[in-house]
């Protein structure tokens, strides 16, 4: 007998479902295709038949050979897996473009690629599963914006359990920013932010809070298919225009002020946090640097920390970053003096997290060298792995309990 992970529901099966989590934490994936001559599963999990090396710093996904039963049912059973959330997609015959298994309704989109996923319960994975009760609310709202000639943009807002019933209760706010190629749905879908918050708040592991997840892509008002101005445009991970300071310039007047005027917030520095991954880490850092009286908690997850690099020792990447990120001077210049001002305001936390194999690690090492040289306090979390959602979900879980808004 096996267990099928259907979102948060564990149901018994006979092993023919698209994906089953077995009692020994192995996972069996079944794919029906009577015309295929060979099928491979591409996933960040181990198996005995590994055809290719890890694909680089972004993730550790490998292709694994599936076995066919003679009637078109292709099967792979993984090794025992740690509790976590795992993505996978499928390669049929010699096709170079992966597909997802339409029989498995559990899917997630990362930029343009759709993956199936499963959750191995027991530890970390439990925080990624839907709760049966005490659930918060995730809503998508449009707010006025002047970015890129637009009139409005969309953001995701998480409201904790009990928000609607407690009209007189005011809440702290975490602004949570996505990376390049992402959108306002990324943290909710890829990052499982609502599930993480629901579980941690219900179990008393972090404080109830509002979480705002804006769209950090300057060129799109909303996620693909949700932008009425550009309904057919496809996202890309190479939006250099989102690195020119526009997001940071508009953050307070458009996003923060809208949130404070439309939700039950505690509108002060002591009750605000901002965190972001990769490009969102860039937006996070420079929004905080240019507004030192606004956020007491700053989180950098695999962040790009310095688009304007002056007097920093970060190795060979320096010239490349300068060439790529020719941002607006009013946002990116004066890094050292802005950092001094930020710390003169005594923020409660600067949190830096990155994987050992992350391609941005040397930049983060350079930033930490600068902080140590100035005796500026920060918390550092170095993990295994690279530039991937597997790490970013864990960084969020580690960051949330450190937001001591009651202090």
């Amino acid at each position: 007998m096996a267990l099928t992970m259907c979102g948060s529901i564990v149901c018994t099966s006979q092993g023919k479902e698209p994906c089953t989590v077995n009692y020994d934490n192995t996972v069996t994936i079944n794919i029906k295709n009577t015309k295929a001559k060979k099928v491979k599963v591409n996933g960040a999990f181990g198996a005995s038949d590994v055809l290719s090396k890890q694909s680089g710093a972004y993730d550790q996904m490998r292709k694994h050979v599936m076995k066919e039963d003679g009637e078109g049912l292709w099967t792979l059973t993984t090794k025992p897996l740690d509790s976590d959330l795992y993505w996978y997609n499928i390669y049929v015959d010699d096709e170079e473009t992966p597909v997802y298994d339409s029989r498995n309704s559990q899917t997630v989109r990362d930029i343009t690629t759709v993956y199936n996923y499963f959750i191995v319960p027991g530890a970390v994975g439990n925080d990624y599963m839907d709760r049966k009760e005490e659930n918060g609310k995730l809503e998508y709202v449009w707010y006025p914006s002047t970015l890129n000639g637009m009139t409005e943009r969309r953001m995701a807002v998480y409201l904790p359990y009990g928000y609607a019933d407690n009209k007189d209760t005011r809440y702290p706010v975490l602004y949570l920013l996505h990376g390049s190629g992402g959108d306002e749905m990324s943290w909710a879908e890829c990052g499982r932010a609502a599930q993480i918050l629901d579980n941690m708040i219900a179990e008393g592991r972090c404080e109830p809070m509002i979480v705002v997840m804006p769209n950090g892509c300057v060129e799109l008002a909303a996620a693909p298919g949700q932008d009425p101005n550009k309904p057919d445009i496809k996202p890309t991970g190479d939006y250099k225009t989102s690195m020119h300071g526009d997001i940071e310039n508009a953050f307070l007047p458009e996003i923060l002020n809208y949130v404070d005027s439309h939700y039950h917030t505690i509108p002060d520095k002591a009750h605000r946090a901002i965190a972001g991954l990769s490009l969102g880490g860039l937006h996070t850092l420079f929004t905080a640097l240019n507004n030192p009286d606004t956020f007491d908690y700053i989180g950098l997850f695999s962040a790009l920390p310095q688009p304007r690099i002056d007097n920093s020792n970060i190795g060979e990447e320096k010239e490349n970053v300068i060439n790529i990120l020719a941002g607006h001077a009013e946002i990116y210049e004066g890094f050292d003096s802005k950092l001094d001002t930020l710390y003169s305001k005594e923020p409660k936390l600067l949190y830096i997290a990155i994987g050992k194999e992350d391609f941005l690690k040397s930049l983060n090492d350079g930033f930490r060298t600068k902080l140590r040289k100035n005796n500026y306090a920060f918390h550092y979390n170095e993990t295994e792995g690279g530039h991937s959602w597997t790490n970013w979900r864990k960084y969020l879980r580690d960051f949330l309990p450190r937001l001591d808004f009651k202090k």
Side-chain angles (χ1 to χ4, degrees), residues 31 33 36-43 51-52 55 61-66 74 88-101 113 115:
I31 295 168
N33 190 321
K37 295 180 180 178
K38 57 184 175 182
V39 180
K40 303 168 190 173
V41 173
N42 189 42
L51 294 187
S52 61
S55 56
M61 299 190 77
R62 299 175 173 90
K63 295 178 183 177
H64 312 283
V65 174
M66 304 190 79
W74 299 82
Y88 69 94
N89 50 24
I90 302 158
Y91 286 82
V92 177
D93 294 333
D94 293 321
E95 292 293 329
E96 296 182 359
T97 302
V99 296
Y100 68 95
D101 185 358
T113 303
Y115 299 88

Side-chain angles (χ1 to χ4, degrees), residues 313-345:
N313 181 20
I314 59 169
E316 296 178 357
E317 290 85 352
K318 178 176 179 179
E319 194 65 32
N320 291 334
V321 175
I322 291 175
N323 291 337
I324 293 172
L325 304 179
H328 293 166
E330 68 272 19
I331 289 296
Y332 298 128
E333 285 186 349
F335 183 90
D336 288 349
S337 62
K338 288 177 180 178
L339 188 63
D340 293 340
T341 300
L342 178 71
Y343 270 89
S344 74
K345 305 293 183 176

Side-chain angles (χ1 to χ4, degrees), residues 12 19 64 77 99 151 157 177 239 264-265 270 274 319 392 400:
T12 61
C19 183
H64 312 283
T77 297
V99 296
T151 58
V157 180
L177 314 185
Y239 278 124
H264 308 150
T265 70
I274 185 169
E319 194 65 32
W392 300 327
L400 288 172

Side-chain angles (χ1 to χ4, degrees), residues 42-279:
N42 189 42
F45 42 81
S48 59
D49 297 318
V50 179
L51 294 187
S52 61
K53 297 180 180 180
Q54 99 178 36
S55 56
Y58 284 88
D59 214 330
Q60 296 180 351
M61 299 190 77
R62 299 175 173 90
K63 295 178 183 177
H64 312 283
V65 174
M66 304 190 79
K67 295 181 180 180
E68 198 256 348
D69 67 352
E71 296 181 0
L73 182 67
W74 299 82
T75 300
L76 173 86
T77 297
T78 72
K79 68 178 183 180
L81 300 176
D82 292 335
S83 174
D84 212 321
L85 185 149
Y86 297 85
W87 293 359
Y88 69 94
N89 50 24
I90 302 158
Y91 286 82
V92 177
D93 294 333
D94 293 321
E95 292 293 329
E96 296 182 359
T97 302
V99 296
Y100 68 95
D101 185 358
S102 60
R103 296 195 310 149
N104 184 354
S105 62
Q106 305 305 312
T107 61
V108 61
R109 174 186 57 84
D110 187 26
I111 308 181
T112 57
T113 303
V114 177
Y115 299 88
N116 295 110
Y117 71 85
F118 59 83
I119 299 172
V120 177
V124 174
N126 287 350
D127 280 344
Y128 305 151
M129 298 173 70
D130 297 323
R131 290 186 64 84
K132 294 182 180 179
E133 56 186 8
E134 298 185 10
N135 299 309
K137 178 184 178 183
L138 183 67
E139 61 183 26
Y140 290 91
V141 299
W142 291 88
Y143 64 94
S145 176
T146 60
L147 276 180
N148 204 27
M150 299 173 183
T151 58
E152 58 181 5
R153 292 172 64 84
R154 199 173 78 148
M155 69 173 89
V157 180
Y158 168 86
L159 303 173
Y161 173 74
Y163 176 89
D165 297 327
N166 298 302
K167 302 293 186 182
D168 296 329
T169 301
R170 306 191 78 83
Y171 294 87
V173 182
L174 165 62
Y175 293 87
L176 190 58
L177 314 185
H178 64 78
S180 184
D183 50 63
E184 74 279 9
M185 300 176 71
S186 295
W187 266 110
E189 293 194 352
C190 300
R192 306 292 285 183
Q195 288 84 356
I196 291 171
L197 285 152
D198 280 347
N199 284 300
M200 295 187 71
I201 291 172
E203 295 171 12
R205 289 183 283 140
C206 73
E207 297 181 33
M209 67 188 78
I210 296 169
V211 180
V212 177
M213 295 162 275
N215 185 344
C217 173
V218 169
E219 297 184 25
L220 294 176
Q226 307 295 323
D227 186 344
N229 303 305
K230 300 179 179 179
D232 300 323
I233 195 168
K234 292 184 178 181
T236 172
D238 192 29
Y239 278 124
K240 294 183 179 67
T241 55
S242 297
M243 304 174 184
H244 292 173
D246 295 315
I247 294 295
E248 297 92 329
N249 266 326
F251 205 94
L252 264 65
E254 295 189 359
I255 297 174
L256 188 144
N257 287 344
Y258 179 90
V259 171
D260 280 344
S261 64
H262 286 76
Y263 294 95
H264 308 150
T265 70
I266 306 174
D268 62 23
K269 179 174 181 280
H271 295 89
R272 288 197 197 102
I274 185 169
L277 68 91
S278 194
L279 173 65

